[in-house]
Amino acid sequence: MNLTCYNKILGILSILLLMTGPLVGQPRQVINFNAGWWFKLDSSQHHANGRNGEGWRFLDLPHDWSIEMPFKEHSPAGSGAAYLDGGVGWYEKSFVLADTDRTQRIFIAFEGVYENSEVWINGHFLGKRPNGYIGFEYELSSYLFWDGRQNRLSVKVDNNKQPNSRFYSGSGIYRDVQLLIRNPISIATNSTYIKPIQLNAKNAIVNLSLDIEHLRKESKTISVRTQLLSPKGQVVASQQTVLTALKKGIHPINQQITIDNPVLWDIDNPAQYKAKVQIVAEGRIVDELETKFGLRNFSFDQQQGFILNGKRLKIRGVCLHSDLGALGMAFNRSAALRQLRTMKAMGVNGIRTSHNPAAPAFLDLCDSLGFIVMSETFDVWKGQKNPFDYHLYWDQWYKRDFADHVKRDRNHPALFIWCLGNEAQEQWHSKSDGTAIPLALAAIVDSLDGTRPTTIANNELSKNNPVLMSTAVDLVGYNYNHKKWASFPQDHPGKKFIVTESTSALESRGQYDLVPYDSVRMWPERWDIPFNGGNSDKGISAYDNVYTPWGSDHHTSLWLMEQYDHIAGMYVWTGFDYLGEPTPYTWPARSSYFGIVDLAGFPKDVYYLYQSVWTEKPVLHLLPHWNWKQGDKVNVVVYFSQADRVELYCNGRKIGEQTKDPQRYDLVFKAVDFEPGTLEVISYRGGEKVLSKMIRTAAKPYRVKLVTENPTINTANKELAFVHAYIVDDSDTLVPDAAHEIEFTVEGEGAAIVATDNGNTTDLQRFQSSSRKAFHGKALAIVASKNKGKLVITAKSQGLMADKIQIAAN
Ligand code: GAL
């Protein structure tokens, strides 16, 4: 069965599901509405009254059309958006509703559409939403057909005006869409807020508030029944509020509920409670909604930094953009989970969702994996950074967008800090806006939450910056400027401090320049002068000695932030490479060099530096590879932990040993003479061997070797398999400079290679291509399957032995 045919069946199935929908008076139904949309890129015609013309495709959401585009040197989107075009796209979906739902209210909810979406139902205009990251919904009830006729939802997405972002945004309906069927007496969207108002070892008191929307003409007696479920799923508290003769209108409800022996949410034990609220009218449950929440005590302190549940905790965070590498912006839970697990294994305990609201499922993952999230809303306020960015919509939309963001996310236990903006232009140019905007945004947080501190990410640190000096925010946020971290208590007496963004060091995975170890390179030399230097292949050495003038190498910022107790923590720019912003280069470089992990998800060497400092796991990692020319002098760097001494052996011969430098996390054996064979490092603690690690000189490329991160995938959850391909020699050693073209295929009904990648920032092959060159010996294939069954993935490369691997699609 081909894909189109399959999608059509999925579409029909979702219509059937709707037809068998809920009975009158039943609680809400949340129907995933991702399957079966028509799509066309078209800026010339209007399709709100029904699609016309050729060129429509049938597809499932989430969808990002920009990631399907060829990279174009002169794309108006520019380097910031990875040289991938925007444009105007139309989406259309038809559906039939069951007559039994006629008395219900019907909504369509979008979690994210980039950008300027306009929505119509049966030709009736519902509204426009410029912001590309915040979720929104429209009520369809008055315009629907109930007589078996098809209803037609039309969505125009206008991402044509470019550039409108400093980083890759994608284009289209790139997050989930839901159809909500709600009773005329039901809980208003995002009105539920479970606010802890007291918490000690014995008990917790939470205030649960929500709005009941009562649209029936007659007055009703309504009860609100709440049950709180413990992390283990047991009912631990309940409450009922009865409202008699409730009139048509919106009615706020408050319940204060006590939980005995509360279980705290923590990064190592992210225990979540659940509030199950039922609205009962005339003896029937007319609405039911479950909301997860967490109980935790936390504070920020001028001297001690961040304190969680009574213990000091350094926030060891990374910034992440919302793109998922080769998948573009099209949200996929398993791809986000992969990113977060990779970060967790490195010792990361904090995520900054830079610079916009994240997908709701991303925050759910942070809740359940245990991260300290700094949630950010804006990269731009009123002052522009790009000609067509959010400044165009600021005045009209910021209050609504920000309030919607706070209301949507305030129940997430992982969320600890609201970051109101990133490096806003108002830092530099506008005394009045720079004072007024933080006040206005902080007032919104206070009115809708009031349990979490606010901050703003500043890169201009003079006292003339009204944003930095704002009394509206609780934490002073510095981007970069590591040389000023130590003196913060003197520079801002009485204030609390967080490093909202740090480092911005640069590297390409697996690439090493043999320059003297102490040579430090600042690329570009200055942010405002075009960069003409660098390497001819536009690669950057991964020795952690190349960085931007506003940042530092990884070691420097890491060391500093661990030294000073008054620094609550930092969010390193960035955990993963992302699309766009290929600083210091431009075309053909099209993605970032900042990541600790490359775009394909392969860790760079500095990953192990952090792991050695941020985890309890014993670490021993050495770099670079061991394929050099006779006569080369190679700096050998070791990242290690839980050891006080390291010995280095070449071909079994001891060539040096070093004890740990109390001022550094790493150590380096400078200018080691290259000799083909083996290079081994052994770590010791108190004379006892801790770990050893050997690398060897690779011989000729011999075969492709496949390894999967996921032996099984769940098809219902749209899980993806991430399959690594390595070019190895006949003794299984990675060939570090191999750049062979690898062709991936997958057998299995409904299976597909959805994307490939290699982490090379200059690879202009489209991500959807099933063939991909290895980059420093490695490539990645991302595999999906619509059907259950056995998948066989094959990787072939000319002149090399092929490999096959199996995955079970369940
Ligand atoms: C920061 C900015 C980030 C990114 C980074 C690159 O100033 O906040 O979005 O551009 O620089 O170093």
Side-chain angles (χ1 to χ4, degrees):
M1 183 169 22
N2 67 30
L3 212 61
T4 316
C5 180
Y6 182 87
N7 277 329
K8 278 187 182 149
I9 291 176
L10 261 188
I12 292 164
L13 280 179
S14 71
I15 290 169
L16 285 178
L17 188 79
L18 292 180
M19 292 180 72
T20 57
L23 301 171
V24 179
Q26 274 206 338
R28 74 179 56 214
Q29 292 267 301
V30 181
I31 296 162
N32 182 305
F33 228 45
N34 288 343
W37 290 74
W38 289 100
F39 169 73
K40 187 186 181 187
L41 255 186
D42 191 349
S43 56
S44 60
Q45 288 190 78
H46 201 73
H47 299 286
N49 294 316
R51 64 178 194 279
N52 47 56
E54 300 288 298
W56 290 82
R57 275 158 65 195
F58 204 62
L59 50 75
D60 289 348
L61 306 176
H63 173 238
D64 169 7
W65 79 69
S66 289
I67 202 70
E68 300 167 353
M69 297 281 179
F71 296 102
K72 281 198 223 147
E73 184 172 1
H74 300 293
S75 168
S79 62
Y83 301 99
L84 294 167
D85 283 357
V88 176
W90 284 86
Y91 294 85
E92 184 182 298
K93 178 174 168 102
S94 298
F95 57 99
V96 176
L97 289 165
D99 195 50
T100 42
D101 288 329
R102 191 187 274 270
T103 55
Q104 299 283 84
R105 299 177 70 191
I106 317 291
F107 295 82
I108 187 79
F110 295 88
E111 289 187 352
V113 185
Y114 200 91
E115 59 163 5
N116 278 310
S117 62
E118 290 172 86
V119 184
W120 292 262
I121 181 73
N122 296 327
H124 180 90
F125 182 62
L126 294 169
K128 175 167 180 153
R129 192 75 177 212
N131 189 302
Y133 297 104
I134 194 64
F136 55 91
E137 66 176 33
Y138 297 111
E139 181 159 10
L140 312 178
S141 314
S142 315
Y143 317 105
L144 291 167
F145 302 133
W146 293 99
D147 51 6
R149 259 186 295 163
Q150 296 275 348
N151 290 288
R152 191 187 55 247
L153 202 53
S154 314
V155 183
K156 180 184 179 191
V157 183
D158 187 346
N159 188 20
N160 207 32
K161 292 211 174 94
Q162 299 279 353
N164 61 45
S165 178
R166 293 189 306 110
F167 42 89
Y168 181 75
S169 65
S171 310
I173 310 179
Y174 67 94
R175 288 181 183 159
D176 288 348
V177 179
Q178 279 126 11
L179 191 81
L180 297 177
I181 302 181
R182 261 171 56 187
N183 197 283
I185 302 173
S186 52
I187 301 165
T189 297
N190 290 339
S191 67
T192 307
Y193 182 34
I194 300 138
K195 180 173 179 170
I197 49 175
Q198 188 186 300
L199 179 58
N200 56 47
K202 278 205 187 123
N203 57 41
I205 303 175
V206 297
N207 187 83
L208 184 142
S209 56
L210 53 84
D211 293 340
I212 295 182
E213 285 177 354
H214 170 17
L215 295 195
R216 293 224 192 273
K217 282 200 199 84
E218 327 80 59
S219 299
K220 294 274 175 199
T221 294
I222 292 171
S223 29
V224 181
R225 288 186 198 155
T226 301
Q227 287 187 325
L228 300 187
L229 279 71
S230 73
K232 287 196 175 132
Q234 285 144 353
V235 178
V236 287
S238 52
Q239 198 168 113
Q240 172 158 298
T241 309
V242 180
L243 306 141
T244 39
L246 203 66
K247 294 207 180 78
K248 186 176 171 186
I250 297 176
H251 304 280
I253 304 293
N254 271 293
Q255 295 179 330
Q256 283 199 358
I257 312 176
T258 303
I259 303 170
D260 292 329
N261 307 316
V263 183
L264 301 185
W265 182 100
D266 214 316
I267 53 164
D268 299 321
N269 179 32
Q272 292 183 71
Y273 283 81
K274 203 188 271 176
K276 191 168 154 186
V277 180
Q278 293 180 332
I279 310 295
V280 181
E282 291 167 347
R284 277 202 319 253
I285 298 168
V286 291
D287 198 10
E288 184 169 309
L289 188 64
E290 290 188 351
T291 309
K292 286 188 166 182
F293 66 99
L295 302 170
R296 67 275 191 284
N297 261 320
F298 73 98
S299 59
F300 285 84
D301 184 86
Q302 292 153 28
Q303 277 99 37
Q304 295 204 68
F306 178 59
I307 298 154
L308 178 62
N309 300 327
K311 285 195 226 120
R312 271 191 52 212
L313 181 74
K314 273 275 180 202
I315 301 177
R316 294 160 165 169
V318 293
C319 302
L320 288 179
H321 269 313
S322 297
D323 75 78
L324 296 168
L327 303 169
M329 283 292 281
F331 184 77
N332 176 280
R333 187 182 176 279
S334 66
L337 178 61
R338 176 188 188 230
Q339 284 197 340
L340 290 172
R341 280 197 176 139
T342 308
M343 292 294 102
K344 192 92 186 171
M346 171 181 136
V348 170
N349 65 17
I351 303 288
R352 173 186 184 211
T353 56
S354 44
H355 302 297
N356 46 259
F362 182 89
L363 291 173
D364 291 340
L365 289 172
C366 291
D367 291 338
S368 58
L369 293 171
F371 286 103
I372 309 296
V373 173
M374 175 155 82
S375 176
E376 195 162 67
T377 318
F378 302 112
D379 189 49
V380 176
W381 292 340
K382 202 168 174 168
Q384 75 173 66
K385 292 182 179 174
N386 270 301
F388 301 106
D389 62 24
Y390 190 72
H391 80 280
L392 296 175
Y393 316 111
W394 177 262
D395 281 340
Q396 197 189 337
W397 282 98
Y398 85 91
K399 282 191 184 141
R400 171 93 187 269
D401 287 336
F402 188 53
D404 282 358
H405 182 196
V406 175
K407 286 178 76 178
R408 191 197 71 171
D409 290 348
R410 60 193 164 164
N411 289 308
H412 285 283
L415 204 162
F416 282 82
I417 307 165
W418 296 108
C419 185
L420 311 179
N422 178 57
E423 299 183 354
Q425 296 293 54
E426 286 73 5
Q427 292 180 110
W428 312 89
H429 303 308
S430 169
K431 194 93 198 153
S432 59
D433 287 338
T435 308
I437 291 174
L439 280 168
L441 294 174
I444 292 173
V445 174
D446 279 351
S447 70
L448 297 172
D449 178 13
T451 68
R452 298 171 173 94
T454 52
T455 190
I456 301 177
N458 292 281
N459 60 335
E460 140 62 338
L461 295 197
S462 88
K463 303 256 153 106
N464 298 328
N465 173 2
V467 180
L468 177 80
M469 302 311 288
S470 173
T471 51
V473 294
D474 307 296
L475 307 174
V476 176
Y478 281 12
N479 279 9
Y480 307 98
N481 291 287
H482 58 279
K483 292 184 181 142
K484 298 184 182 150
W485 297 355
S487 63
F488 179 86
Q490 292 80 53
D491 297 341
H492 295 272
K495 298 271 177 150
K496 300 166 188 172
F497 181 37
I498 183 125
V499 178
T500 35
E501 186 174 318
S502 73
T503 314
S504 273
L506 304 161
E507 42 256 300
S508 305
R509 176 195 40 86
Q511 190 147 343
Y512 309 94
D513 294 346
L514 294 192
V515 293
Y517 189 66
D518 307 325
S519 59
V520 154
R521 287 172 286 172
M522 261 191 209
W523 289 359
E525 270 156 48
R526 265 179 40 188
W527 70 270
D528 53 345
I529 298 179
F531 180 62
N532 296 314
N535 292 340
S536 57
D537 62 358
K538 300 210 180 246
I540 299 183
S541 184
Y543 268 115
D544 191 24
N545 56 7
V546 188
Y547 53 90
T548 52
W550 52 94
S552 75
D553 59 81
H554 286 278
H555 191 281
T556 300
S557 289
L558 174 60
W559 182 268
L560 278 170
M561 100 87 186
E562 292 289 339
Q563 298 316 302
Y564 294 98
D565 289 351
H566 65 262
I567 308 176
M570 73 173 179
Y571 291 88
V572 181
W573 191 265
T574 46
F576 271 68
D577 272 331
Y578 53 95
L579 292 162
E581 222 185 33
T583 309
Y585 299 114
T586 55
W587 181 266
R590 46 63 171 160
S591 50
S592 79
Y593 295 78
F594 298 115
I596 296 166
V597 175
D598 76 15
L599 198 70
F602 299 123
K604 301 178 189 174
D605 294 293
V606 286
Y607 183 90
Y608 303 96
L609 166 66
Y610 287 98
Q611 197 178 47
S612 71
V613 184
W614 285 357
T615 73
E616 296 303 314
K617 180 183 151 161
V619 171
L620 184 61
H621 178 83
L622 83 163
L623 63 141
H625 54 71
W626 206 235
N627 273 60
W628 301 99
K629 292 193 308 296
Q630 208 78 35
D632 278 344
K633 293 198 174 296
V634 184
N635 296 314
V636 175
V637 175
V638 183
Y639 297 141
F640 66 107
S641 63
Q642 304 190 26
D644 46 36
R645 189 168 59 87
V646 166
E647 294 177 355
L648 187 70
Y649 294 82
C650 185
N651 290 326
R653 215 176 54 245
K654 185 165 171 185
I655 53 169
E657 79 168 62
Q658 287 192 42
T659 49
K660 186 170 164 39
D661 176 346
Q663 293 302 310
R664 287 198 69 87
Y665 298 122
D666 57 354
L667 56 82
V668 55
F669 294 90
K670 288 185 188 155
V672 175
D673 287 316
F674 172 68
E675 183 183 301
T678 60
L679 187 73
E680 188 182 21
V681 63
I682 306 175
S683 62
Y684 297 88
R685 185 180 41 216
E688 295 278 310
K689 178 173 161 182
V690 180
L691 288 171
S692 70
K693 178 91 185 274
M694 185 187 279
I695 57 173
R696 48 182 93 235
T697 309
K700 279 208 317 270
Y702 173 68
R703 67 176 188 115
V704 187
K705 178 182 173 181
L706 289 179
V707 175
T708 182
E709 291 178 25
N710 320 82
T712 61
I713 52 172
N714 180 309
T715 51
N717 295 342
K718 309 249 175 190
E719 281 178 10
L720 302 168
F722 294 85
V723 180
H724 301 196
Y726 305 132
I727 308 287
V728 295
D729 70 3
D730 57 359
S731 66
D732 240 22
T733 299
L734 186 84
V735 181
D737 57 349
H740 299 61
E741 187 91 33
I742 304 169
E743 177 64 35
F744 294 95
T745 49
V746 56
E747 290 160 54
E749 177 111 3
I753 307 284
V754 288
T756 57
D757 193 6
N758 54 17
N760 180 2
T761 52
T762 62
D763 189 330
L764 299 179
Q765 174 91 285
R766 283 199 222 183
F767 288 115
Q768 295 77 38
S769 169
S770 58
S771 80
R772 179 72 46 190
K773 273 188 160 178
F775 180 62
H776 297 296
K778 297 184 183 176
L780 175 83
I782 307 176
V783 182
S785 182
K786 302 248 180 201
N787 299 2
K788 294 181 180 179
K790 188 175 84 180
L791 313 184
V792 181
I793 294 133
T794 305
K796 289 186 184 151
S797 184
Q798 216 177 7
L800 302 183
M801 220 168 99
D803 198 10
K804 277 186 196 305
I805 199 168
Q806 272 190 29
I807 288 172
N810 299 322

